[in-house]
Amino acid sequence: MYDKRISDEISEGDLKTIIKAGTKIKGNISGNNEVHIEGELQGNVKLDTLLFLGKNAKLKGKVEANNVVVEGKLEGDIFAKNMIELRATANFNGRVICKHIAIEEGAYFHGEVKMEDGQNLTPMYFKEKRKNLKKK
């Protein structure tokens, strides 16, 4: 069990592209810097690093990235070389291929998860931070 999120490993000074809320893009994005989306994208994303979809983000298309964090809405397939995080506000509809996946309580997931290269899928969980939960 892991207690670390993808974003915990990213420093504030890292280079990134930010697509702010209210921005709508039709087309594809590719590159080797982190991309943070708060707006809307209809198209495919191919990155060598992290794709971060904020709470208000909407993406319809195919995603290929090293790591993917989803807080908003994503409709399409995700191929992550390493890890995918679906946070509590995530709304995902599609297929996932990855080495590791973490789905936070409250996230909506409709689709399927496949393991990469025949390796066992390694589920990862967020550490429970709520207090006074009675275990059965």
Side-chain angles (χ1 to χ4, degrees):
M1 186 159 107
Y2 293 91
D3 185 24
K4 198 169 195 179
R5 293 180 174 200
I6 294 169
S7 56
D8 294 341
E9 299 174 6
I10 299 167
S11 69
E12 290 295 317
D14 286 345
L15 294 175
K16 63 179 110 179
T17 300
I18 300 173
I19 299 171
K20 294 192 174 200
T23 304
K24 295 180 182 182
I25 297 176
K26 237 182 196 185
N28 300 326
I29 295 176
S30 64
N32 56 9
N33 289 325
E34 173 186 339
V35 174
H36 185 124
I37 299 175
E38 289 292 340
E40 296 181 28
L41 173 67
Q42 186 173 353
N44 300 324
V45 178
K46 187 172 184 175
L47 302 172
D48 294 330
T49 58
L50 170 71
L51 172 64
F52 186 98
L53 293 178
K55 291 180 183 176
N56 298 313
K58 293 180 183 176
L59 190 154
K60 186 173 185 178
K62 179 180 168 185
V63 172
E64 292 181 49
N66 192 44
N67 293 302
V68 179
V69 176
V70 180
E71 291 183 345
K73 184 174 184 178
L74 195 156
E75 186 178 333
D77 298 340
I78 302 174
F79 172 74
K81 294 176 187 170
N82 187 32
M83 184 172 173
I84 296 169
E85 285 183 14
L86 298 177
R87 303 244 173 114
T89 55
N91 182 324
F92 176 77
N93 187 359
R95 294 182 304 155
V96 168
I97 299 173
C98 61
K99 288 184 183 175
H100 308 283
I101 187 166
I103 302 175
E104 191 172 8
E105 183 179 357
Y108 174 80
F109 179 92
H110 183 264
E112 61 182 271
V113 178
K114 293 193 177 198
M115 46 194 138
E116 180 186 62
D117 298 329
Q119 299 175 9
N120 290 332
L121 182 65
T122 307
M124 298 175 73
Y125 305 92
F126 294 118
K127 183 177 180 182
E128 180 61 64
K129 293 184 179 180
R130 295 176 292 174
K131 296 181 180 178
N132 302 325
L133 290 178
K134 294 182 181 181
K135 294 183 180 182
K136 294 181 181 181

